[in-house]
Amino acid sequence: MPTDLTPLIAARSVAVVGASADPARIGGRPIAYLRRSGYAGRIVPVNPRRSEIQGLRTVPDLRETEPVDLAIIATPADLVAKSVADSLEAGARSLVLFTAGYAETGEEGALAQREIAAAAQAKGAVLLGPNCLGAANFHTGMAATFATSLESRWPATGGFSYFGQSGALGTYWIEMARRAGLGLSKWISLGNEAQVTGADALRYLAEDDETRTIAAYIEDIKNPDAFGDAVTLARDAGKGVIVLKSGRSPAGARAATAHTASHPGDDAWCDRFLAEVGAYRAGSLSEMIDVAQILASDTKRTGGKRLGIATVSGGAGVLACDAAERLGVPLAHFSDDTRHRLAQVLPGYASSRNPVDLTGALIADVDLLSKTLCIMEESGECDTIMFVIGAMEGIADQLIETIAGAKARGISLVVVWMAMPDRLADRICRLNIPLFAEIEQAIVAIAGGIRIG
Amino acid sequence: MPTDLTPLIAARSVAVVGASADPARIGGRPIAYLRRSGYAGRIVPVNPRRSEIQGLRTVPDLRETEPVDLAIIATPADLVAKSVADSLEAGARSLVLFTAGYAETGEEGALAQREIAAAAQAKGAVLLGPNCLGAANFHTGMAATFATSLESRWPATGGFSYFGQSGALGTYWIEMARRAGLGLSKWISLGNEAQVTGADALRYLAEDDETRTIAAYIEDIKNPDAFGDAVTLARDAGKGVIVLKSGRSPAGARAATAHTASHPGDDAWCDRFLAEVGAYRAGSLSEMIDVAQILASDTKRTGGKRLGIATVSGGAGVLACDAAERLGVPLAHFSDDTRHRLAQVLPGYASSRNPVDLTGALIADVDLLSKTLCIMEESGECDTIMFVIGAMEGIADQLIETIAGAKARGISLVVVWMAMPDRLADRICRLNIPLFAEIEQAIVAIAGGIRIG
């Protein structure tokens, strides 16, 4: 039976059992995050030794207050079994269990884990973990996690969601998505999957109206049928599913077993399985973010096919062509008319074929970029235009104005800015223009976007 | 006959023909750079209409002063032929010709290019270009280039050199190398290679005492015998040669012809050729920088074999193992004694095998990292230790202190910091510790370092 994550992700009341007054501690962070995120639900710190924590009234025992949708178990390891039992008795509809030391450590831990899962199951409660970093709903402000990425700011909301068997990688994902200008929806760290599995999380996200793209880090696929069905559900709803599946190698598989008691299985099978069900397999966390940037951009609308390339570096143009042909991204072919129009604005020695080489002449005449992009767009021969540049601190502000102007005219743009001055990234990402630091990286993402469709 | 680049790269006097008072113009930039770089040689601005430029006395005609080692031709296109002839007549031992519009534009341009090359050859002068961004010697401050990467600062000196058929990619290389904390030696933009070829540049760098690692961007190999001999010369001198060879695809090859009149040829042959002569073929500019970071670090000394991995993310550990096995980087195997010592400092649920998982416990106890690195080092079972972390703004400063301490104790470290707070990169690179933003990227670089040896 699949587990429905609604009581957890859409929780309207959250208790923290073992609540701490210190916002840097595991039992203090969820409260600090919930208070700052704008969460409108009830927050119940449970602590028998304090009457108030982080400005909130505590209860000494969860059984002494109205039942909550979600109880976060943040007590020391030796108290966990009792805290779980008490929370279930108090009517908590879902539990998040951070604590490690269960199935990933051996048979004894596995037994303790099975007991907790059975207790939750008996009460019809949802159990996330153990050995996990919890979950978050960025739209409601529900933060059942101690993920450190949330300590300095609450992410902008959007349609990008994560679930996975690594909480730490999930926290890096939060920060990397923020830097790429992607808005976030839901975040689920699975840990040992005593009850809630990857398939359950994926099904929830497939059916979640606020989720448009799903990223997953997984070490094994415990129930391929359920997982495959959930991918289908997501794909039918027009959502991209990007999977980073690890444990490809014998050493990686051993490490996965020590990490989350996973058994990665045969990687070639896994590769075929993911391809057959329509999930995109990424090679790194960065690639997940890169492909999601494309899916969230205008390139999704245009299909990203017939790529036009404009660059100030002839060499970059050559590298872009190589990558596009290798990865199956079709290059735009310019008609004689388009080439003629381009030749009229470009220096005599510059190529008016695709890739268009603006050459160093751009430094003296920044308008060249605007004119070139317009001609490429008006030709109707490019679906997406990739602009490749590097460094250029001196004219960076003018270039960004031009890029913003092109975007405003409806041009589907992708920018590759090598050795980019740090201060520019935010400005480009805020325009909802995919931004990359390397040519190959951009083409991989565009190819991924085309494949996901 | 190979061309010796000494008169150009080691030039003790530099003239700029067509010198401009505007430090932002092509004829003004070399003078501005030469003045700021600490260049101790003679600088001769040539301009018949001004007596002084950027604080320097001009000469109206190069023939009216003592012969110079190097004349930079920065006159308008229609004056180039005369400027070249006058400079040769004035006894210039080498010429840098920025101007484009030669062989890359067709037969007429090719003819003009051959005439200029023949004129230089007849006088025994070195000719770099045309259609190039010039050259620089970071050790002497000799800047015969208008590369914009040099406008805000002169790079730190070191042993990393570049030559290539793309000046723009070369300027990005300067900035990317700087960010990675790599010191630079020589920089040569070849352009159309009318006389000085890639093989000439490579031979010069192979014999240059200040160069330790050579990076090259090439679109074709015009003289494989000479190129191969130069690689051998560099390898015999213990230098790594990292080549980014483009034009792999038909579209890329066409773009290369439009760019530098290159004919990339059969890529499979090229792949074999580079492997046989002992050059490392990189897939991107980033990879060139990444591998150079490893070659410039302690990992070079230890050979980078037997990789120990310490991480706070079990998932990152799994991904690191996968990448290491795929790319042939041997993983360290810990003895029972080492595992026992690690188990004494790690939380009970954390893995004491390689990869070592410090888990989130590191957040509460930063000393865990120092203890773990010491045990791994003292075991003698790791040649290099890769520490993988992400985000962690809150304890970043303490982590960097620990990393600096480990480095000071002689531990050969590589750091992967995903979603790293921007402000930290400089601090890590200044410690001469290779720093990467992704796991796979780091392992590719380590594998490259092992292969180059």
Side-chain angles (χ1 to χ4, degrees):
Chain A
M1 268 294 290
T3 301
D4 176 13
L5 272 68
T6 305
L8 195 167
I9 304 296
R12 278 168 302 187
S13 47
V14 179
V16 181
V17 182
S20 169
D22 181 352
R25 292 183 65 108
I26 284 177
R29 285 182 182 265
I31 297 171
Y33 298 165
L34 285 162
R35 300 220 56 196
R36 277 208 323 237
S37 67
Y39 179 64
R42 186 163 60 105
I43 309 170
V44 184
V46 182
N47 187 316
R49 290 183 312 278
R50 286 175 169 269
S51 59
E52 180 259 310
I53 272 176
Q54 298 188 42
L56 296 172
R57 284 242 326 263
T58 66
V59 298
D61 189 309
L62 196 54
R63 289 167 296 187
E64 292 175 23
T65 183
E66 275 178 69
V68 292
D69 284 343
L70 167 61
I72 300 169
I73 310 298
T75 45
D78 55 337
L79 297 180
V80 165
K82 179 162 175 14
S83 299
V84 167
D86 290 354
S87 300
L88 290 170
E89 195 186 322
R93 297 173 63 210
S94 65
L95 301 175
V96 163
L97 182 49
F98 297 144
T99 317
Y102 290 91
E104 82 279 13
T105 57
E107 197 39 52
E108 196 180 333
L111 180 67
Q113 179 175 313
R114 280 197 297 274
E115 284 172 1
I116 288 172
Q121 200 69 30
K123 290 279 189 179
V126 176
L127 171 68
L128 186 67
N131 188 23
C132 77
L133 253 65
N137 181 333
F138 300 108
H139 286 272
T140 66
M142 193 288 291
T145 178
F146 59 96
T148 53
S149 299
L150 299 175
E151 69 192 6
S152 46
R153 59 180 83 76
W154 191 250
T157 56
F160 196 23
S161 291
Y162 169 88
F163 74 91
Q165 286 176 272
S166 172
L169 291 179
T171 66
Y172 312 160
W173 174 91
I174 292 174
E175 179 60 13
M176 289 162 79
R178 183 190 70 76
R179 293 184 188 196
L182 294 166
L184 306 187
S185 184
K186 311 294 176 321
W187 188 87
I188 304 161
S189 161
L190 297 168
N192 288 3
E193 301 183 308
Q195 185 208 63
V196 170
T197 64
D200 296 326
L202 181 49
R203 173 172 291 272
Y204 181 85
L205 298 172
E207 292 174 338
D208 173 36
D209 288 340
E210 290 164 340
T211 293
R212 297 308 312 156
T213 301
I214 302 164
Y217 168 81
I218 51 177
E219 296 179 352
D220 63 1
I221 300 174
K222 294 202 171 57
N223 184 338
D225 288 345
F227 195 93
D229 288 349
V231 175
T232 304
L233 207 62
R235 303 293 292 137
D236 288 351
K239 304 182 185 187
V241 179
I242 307 168
V243 175
L244 175 58
K245 164 73 177 70
S246 72
R248 290 170 180 252
S249 64
R254 281 192 298 276
T257 304
H259 178 222
T260 54
S262 292
H263 297 286
D266 177 49
D267 195 69
W269 170 84
C270 191
D271 218 47
R272 279 196 309 277
F273 171 78
L274 291 172
E276 276 166 19
V277 298
Y280 176 84
R281 186 168 186 178
S284 67
L285 212 53
S286 309
E287 189 183 336
M288 297 171 88
I289 304 291
D290 293 344
V291 173
Q293 275 201 78
I294 295 291
L295 294 180
S297 73
D298 300 322
T299 305
K300 165 92 174 176
R301 166 176 59 76
T302 64
K305 292 181 176 168
R306 297 192 306 164
L307 183 68
I309 300 165
T311 170
V312 291
S313 159
V318 181
L319 291 168
C321 288
D322 282 352
E325 291 211 344
R326 186 169 70 75
L327 292 157
V329 174
L331 292 167
H333 179 81
F334 294 161
S335 62
D336 289 346
D337 182 54
T338 302
R339 291 193 57 195
H340 180 72
R341 292 190 62 199
L342 285 168
Q344 285 182 316
V345 302
L346 293 170
Y349 50 83
S351 174
S352 61
R353 293 179 197 273
N354 191 21
V356 180
D357 188 356
L358 303 174
T359 76
L362 181 70
I363 301 169
D365 175 16
V366 178
D367 286 344
L368 205 50
L369 175 60
S370 169
K371 289 175 194 159
T372 302
L373 294 178
C374 275
I375 294 168
M376 290 171 79
E377 166 70 5
E378 286 166 8
S379 75
E381 292 157 8
C382 306
D383 297 311
T384 288
I385 300 174
M386 182 166 95
F387 174 53
V388 186
I389 192 151
M392 291 280 172
E393 178 70 51
I395 58 169
D397 292 307
Q398 291 158 274
L399 289 174
I400 288 193
E401 273 171 45
T402 303
I403 289 167
K407 165 84 183 178
R409 282 197 306 279
I411 297 180
S412 166
L413 261 186
V414 169
V415 172
V416 177
W417 202 314
M418 303 169 84
M420 183 177 59
D422 285 338
R423 63 187 178 82
L424 304 181
D426 269 4
R427 293 175 60 187
I428 295 177
C429 289
R430 270 204 301 272
L431 295 168
N432 191 27
I433 294 173
L435 173 67
F436 304 96
E438 258 289 356
I439 295 161
E440 170 106 2
Q441 180 198 5
I443 300 282
V444 165
I446 292 169
I450 292 174
R451 264 179 50 206
I452 294 173
Chain B
M1 267 294 290
T3 301
D4 176 12
L5 272 69
T6 305
L8 197 167
I9 305 295
R12 279 167 301 187
S13 47
V14 178
V16 181
V17 182
S20 169
D22 181 351
R25 292 184 66 109
I26 284 177
R29 285 182 183 265
I31 296 171
Y33 299 166
L34 284 163
R35 299 219 57 196
R36 277 209 322 237
S37 67
Y39 179 64
R42 185 161 62 106
I43 309 171
V44 184
V46 183
N47 187 315
R49 291 184 311 279
R50 286 174 170 271
S51 60
E52 178 260 310
I53 273 177
Q54 299 188 43
L56 297 171
R57 283 239 332 260
T58 65
V59 298
D61 188 308
L62 195 53
R63 290 167 296 188
E64 293 175 22
T65 184
E66 274 179 70
V68 292
D69 284 342
L70 166 62
I72 300 169
I73 310 298
T75 45
D78 55 336
L79 296 181
V80 165
K82 180 164 178 3
S83 299
V84 167
D86 290 353
S87 300
L88 289 170
E89 195 186 321
R93 296 173 63 210
S94 66
L95 301 175
V96 163
L97 182 49
F98 298 143
T99 317
Y102 289 91
E104 81 281 11
T105 59
E107 198 38 55
E108 198 180 334
L111 181 65
Q113 179 176 313
R114 279 196 298 274
E115 283 171 3
I116 288 173
Q121 200 70 30
K123 290 276 189 180
V126 177
L127 170 69
L128 186 66
N131 188 24
C132 76
L133 253 65
N137 181 334
F138 300 109
H139 286 271
T140 65
M142 192 287 293
T145 178
F146 59 97
T148 54
S149 300
L150 299 175
E151 69 193 3
S152 46
R153 59 179 82 76
W154 191 252
T157 55
F160 197 22
S161 292
Y162 170 89
F163 73 91
Q165 287 176 272
S166 172
L169 291 179
T171 66
Y172 312 159
W173 174 91
I174 292 174
E175 179 60 13
M176 289 163 77
R178 184 190 69 76
R179 293 183 188 198
L182 293 166
L184 306 187
S185 183
K186 311 292 176 323
W187 187 88
I188 304 161
S189 160
L190 297 169
N192 289 3
E193 301 182 307
Q195 184 209 64
V196 169
T197 63
D200 296 326
L202 181 49
R203 173 172 292 271
Y204 180 86
L205 298 172
E207 292 175 338
D208 172 37
D209 288 340
E210 290 165 340
T211 293
R212 299 307 312 156
T213 301
I214 301 164
Y217 167 81
I218 51 177
E219 297 178 351
D220 62 3
I221 299 174
K222 293 199 171 60
N223 184 340
D225 289 343
F227 195 94
D229 288 348
V231 175
T232 303
L233 207 61
R235 303 293 290 135
D236 288 349
K239 304 183 184 187
V241 179
I242 308 168
V243 174
L244 176 58
K245 164 74 177 69
S246 72
R248 289 170 180 255
S249 65
R254 282 192 297 276
T257 304
H259 178 223
T260 53
S262 292
H263 298 284
D266 177 49
D267 195 67
W269 171 83
C270 191
D271 220 45
R272 277 196 310 276
F273 171 77
L274 290 172
E276 277 166 19
V277 297
Y280 177 85
R281 187 168 185 178
S284 67
L285 213 53
S286 309
E287 190 183 334
M288 295 171 89
I289 304 290
D290 294 343
V291 173
Q293 274 200 79
I294 295 292
L295 293 181
S297 73
D298 300 321
T299 304
K300 165 92 174 175
R301 167 177 57 77
T302 64
K305 292 181 177 170
R306 296 193 307 166
L307 183 69
I309 300 166
T311 169
V312 291
S313 159
V318 181
L319 290 168
C321 288
D322 283 352
E325 292 212 344
R326 187 169 70 73
L327 292 157
V329 174
L331 292 167
H333 180 80
F334 294 162
S335 62
D336 288 346
D337 181 55
T338 303
R339 291 193 56 196
H340 180 71
R341 292 190 62 198
L342 285 168
Q344 284 182 317
V345 302
L346 294 170
Y349 50 83
S351 173
S352 60
R353 292 181 196 272
N354 189 22
V356 179
D357 188 356
L358 303 174
T359 77
L362 181 69
I363 301 169
D365 176 16
V366 178
D367 287 343
L368 206 49
L369 175 61
S370 169
K371 290 175 195 161
T372 302
L373 294 179
C374 276
I375 295 169
M376 291 172 78
E377 166 70 6
E378 287 166 8
S379 74
E381 291 157 9
C382 306
D383 296 312
T384 287
I385 301 175
M386 182 166 96
F387 174 53
V388 187
I389 192 150
M392 293 279 171
E393 178 69 52
I395 57 168
D397 292 307
Q398 292 159 274
L399 289 174
I400 289 193
E401 271 171 47
T402 303
I403 289 167
K407 165 83 184 178
R409 282 197 307 279
I411 297 180
S412 166
L413 262 185
V414 170
V415 172
V416 177
W417 201 315
M418 304 169 84
M420 183 177 60
D422 285 338
R423 65 187 176 83
L424 304 182
D426 269 4
R427 292 176 58 188
I428 295 177
C429 289
R430 269 203 302 270
L431 295 169
N432 191 27
I433 293 173
L435 173 67
F436 304 96
E438 259 287 358
I439 296 161
E440 170 107 2
Q441 181 197 3
I443 301 282
V444 165
I446 292 169
I450 292 174
R451 264 179 51 206
I452 294 173

